[in-house]
Amino acid sequence: MAPAQNDPPAATIPDALWVGGMIRDALAGHGLDSHLEQADDLSTARVIDVHGTEWVLANLVNRLRAQRPRTRWPEAVAAHVDSMLASTSRPAPQSLAPEQLRPLLRCQLTPEVPNQRTDVSYGRRFATGVLEVLCLSGPESVLTLPRAVVENLSIGIDEAFERARDNTDAEPVGELFRIDDSVLGITGESPFIASRAMNMARLSADIIGPAPQGISFAIPNRSLLLYTVMTVQGWRQQVTDLIQVCETVLTSDDFYHPGGLLCRDLFYWSPQGRIEPLGGPEIDAEGNRSLHIRPAEEFMRQMGLSGRH
């Protein structure tokens, strides 16, 4: 089974009204008055409760369309509201004792973009354009920790990253699926599937299997990892297949990306633990899009291409 596909139609006004109404009903069940604004445009539609909290509808509606039959939307919306209200009543992360904090920590890969709303300048670079940041994981929600919070946790940042990585390595995988002869995918409901690429050696040992020549991979969104186990004889076709599959996933309207797109590029992991850029899409000055493959040093060495032109 491939990643979740958007069988429902594109965003419509009725869905904004319907889901907005369900959110208002759920909030009323918690004793909170609210009103719906800008319901004629799903991209800006939102419910605003009595405390001034904005419940933006677009992401929720798109997620429901991709992951739930319409008959299950009411229960999913109610669970979403319950979860969000519960998260706002939880203790602040910096108030948690070490023994409370450690099991909740996760590492998550996130795009490195300027002017992010959440200050993740403490993040550690996984690869060009991708940061590894700290999160707090709950049953229904994930909280990205900003710098001001990380600096005041009850444990130091190095220990926080170490424990978060261990917990991320233990995140369950929902499904391993084959796309073609050489390209496979790992997906699941966990928002940390792609983040398991941070410890590719562990992922290889637990799920992928032996990879003596390394693994080429892509992380289009947080819940999907595409990969091919490299061979010296077939590397050229393998990388071509992977970049084409990745491009389809990135550009097709049929695929839903939980949390938005994570990264458009391909990477290579060597058995020595090195991560290198491998290729990806490029847009030239005229706006034309093309795909390129540019192996780096370790890939060339593993494939026996060092010194060749």
Side-chain angles (χ1 to χ4, degrees):
M1 180 179 175
Q5 295 192 7
N6 286 335
D7 292 327
T12 59
I13 294 174
D15 282 348
L17 289 170
W18 187 35
V19 174
M22 287 190 283
I23 288 178
R24 294 191 65 203
D25 289 343
L27 289 171
H30 289 273
L32 297 173
D33 291 331
S34 62
H35 65 277
L36 178 62
E37 290 190 355
Q38 302 180 37
D40 58 338
D41 183 353
L42 181 56
S43 65
T44 57
R46 64 200 64 214
V47 171
I48 301 178
D49 66 30
V50 68
H51 297 305
T53 302
E54 294 188 1
W55 299 72
V56 179
L57 300 184
N59 286 342
L60 176 59
V61 169
N62 287 328
R63 186 167 72 246
L64 290 169
R65 288 173 173 169
Q67 299 178 351
R68 297 284 190 276
R70 297 180 73 86
T71 54
R72 293 185 58 194
W73 284 24
E75 66 184 74
V77 171
H80 172 74
V81 171
D82 289 345
S83 171
M84 296 301 292
L85 291 176
S87 68
T88 60
S89 64
R90 293 174 189 152
Q94 56 268 46
S95 71
L96 296 174
E99 61 273 14
Q100 297 172 303
L101 176 65
R102 291 186 183 106
L104 301 177
L105 286 169
R106 300 291 187 277
C107 279
Q108 190 171 57
L109 297 179
T110 188
E112 183 178 14
V113 296
N115 303 318
Q116 288 179 304
R117 289 185 178 180
T118 302
D119 179 6
V120 291
S121 55
Y122 68 88
R124 299 180 175 180
R125 183 162 283 103
F126 170 75
T128 302
V130 183
L131 288 178
E132 174 186 351
V133 301
L134 293 170
C135 298
L136 231 57
S137 179
E140 296 290 340
S141 61
V142 174
L143 173 65
T144 299
L145 300 183
R147 171 179 281 278
V149 169
V150 171
E151 291 176 344
N152 289 283
L153 294 175
S154 57
I155 61 177
I157 188 170
D158 290 336
E159 182 185 350
F161 268 106
E162 182 179 358
R163 183 53 62 97
R165 287 171 181 146
D166 289 343
N167 293 341
T168 300
D169 286 343
E171 280 289 318
V173 166
E175 182 183 5
L176 176 67
F177 61 95
R178 180 174 292 278
I179 298 172
D180 59 25
D181 290 342
S182 63
V183 179
L184 294 92
I186 300 173
T187 189
E189 294 188 4
S190 168
F192 302 102
I193 298 294
S195 298
R196 292 203 57 178
M198 291 184 292
N199 189 349
M200 193 64 82
R202 169 77 179 270
L203 190 62
S204 177
D206 288 353
I207 297 173
I208 294 175
Q213 268 71 54
I215 297 168
S216 296
F217 66 96
I219 43 175
N221 65 61
R222 66 191 186 188
S223 296
L224 176 63
L225 189 150
L226 304 170
Y227 72 92
T228 181
V229 177
M230 298 308 302
T231 63
V232 173
Q233 296 81 9
W235 73 265
R236 190 182 302 274
Q237 188 62 51
Q238 288 178 280
V239 176
T240 299
D241 291 345
L242 179 60
I243 198 170
Q244 290 175 343
V245 167
C246 187
E247 179 70 358
T248 298
V249 170
L250 290 170
T251 59
S252 173
D253 292 335
D254 292 332
F255 292 101
Y256 169 67
H257 296 281
L261 291 178
L262 172 55
C263 183
R264 299 178 180 275
D265 295 328
L266 267 59
F267 302 98
Y268 170 71
W269 170 83
S270 77
Q272 289 71 40
R274 185 170 173 177
I275 301 286
E276 294 180 334
L278 182 56
E282 283 188 347
I283 300 177
D284 63 22
E286 287 74 37
N288 299 312
R289 185 182 180 94
S290 62
L291 303 178
H292 70 88
I293 299 171
R294 294 199 179 106
E297 178 183 358
E298 185 62 19
F299 182 97
M300 298 285 284
R301 191 181 72 80
Q302 288 289 338
M303 298 304 117
L305 302 173
S306 299
R308 294 193 193 178
H309 299 282

